[in-house]
Amino acid sequence: MRRKIIAGNWKMNNTVIDAVKFINEIKDEIDREDIDVVVCPNNLSVISVVNELEDTSIEVGVQNIHPEDKGAYTGETSLDMVIASGAEYAIVGHSERRAMFGETNEFVNKKVLKCLEKDITPIMCVGETLEERQSGKLFDIIKSQVTVGLNNVEDVTKVVIAYEPIWAIGTGVTATKEQAEEMCKYIRDLIKDLYSPEDSEETRIQYGGSVTKDNAKDILNMPNIDGALVGGASLKKDFIDIVNF
Ligand code: PGA
């Protein structure tokens, strides 16, 4: 039985003061021992948010990491720094990073491997543009993102995969629950081919893209969708309703 995982991606929002204030507004309303709940603040707020969440079951993640251990990578964050801050998850390959910062499938793969080496759970994002969906190349795109992203990964069950169609991110246009389920099932079948039926059954696959308190329940009840990666709605108290779906 796969444990559901709902993660909030705060993106470039909230100063440390805002982050601490907000997490204190929501943390007591979130009490779900049966699922994993994760918030991913900006790096400057991670330590403070970890401290505020000490006595709760809510976990903390970062939004990006660099695959090298240390060195001359101005502006980047290593996994050792993440570990020292108390975070346990890292979003990798978010479509905004792919589109705005030129991250390739190969680079995303390096990040996934480094997370696994350091025992941080990677949330690996994949997703197609509207053009790719309409051109019918949809499944090929996702296949290469998943296959290259998981290259040399031995234990796929330690990776969380987030299917996030780009046309649904921040647009208010959610994929229908059938569209989301179709792709999450496709990814699960792919993992069966790449690994084994057992690994495929155990690997968690989230949906992300305009998840709201109004659509969360329908999406999260689909058989192959094991959670959600939530952007905009995770910045509001709506996140409480999403988590308590
Ligand atoms: P959204 O973002 O919920 O605001 O669409 C999702 C994401 O980018 O992870």
Side-chain angles (χ1 to χ4, degrees), residues 86-105:
E88 293 168 280
Y89 292 79
I91 299 171
V92 297
H94 189 279
S95 64
E96 285 152 16
R97 296 216 54 89
R98 292 176 189 260
M100 297 179 206
F101 304 102
E103 293 195 8
T104 60
N105 291 339

Side-chain angles (χ1 to χ4, degrees), residues 22 24 26 29 34 52 56 92 112 116 123 129 135 165 167 173 184-185 193 205-206 222 224 229:
F22 177 61
N24 279 298
I26 64 169
E29 313 284 335
D34 56 329
E52 298 302 322
T56 75
V92 297
V112 170
L116 296 174
I123 300 176
T129 62
S135 73
W167 46 272
V173 183
C184 291
K185 165 95 170 50
D193 293 344
I205 305 172
Q206 297 175 309
M222 297 307 275
N224 284 289
L229 184 54

Side-chain angles (χ1 to χ4, degrees), residues 16 19 28 30 33 54 75 96 101 117 127 131 135 145-146 167 173 185-186 188 193 198 212 214 217 232-233 239:
V16 61
D28 292 337
I30 295 176
E33 297 291 339
E54 207 171 36
E96 285 152 16
F101 304 102
E117 179 194 319
E131 219 174 40
S135 73
Q145 289 179 353
V146 172
W167 46 272
V173 183
K185 165 95 170 50
Y186 174 77
R188 195 172 305 291
D193 293 344
E198 293 76 21
T212 65
D214 300 321
K217 191 176 179 159
F239 191 61

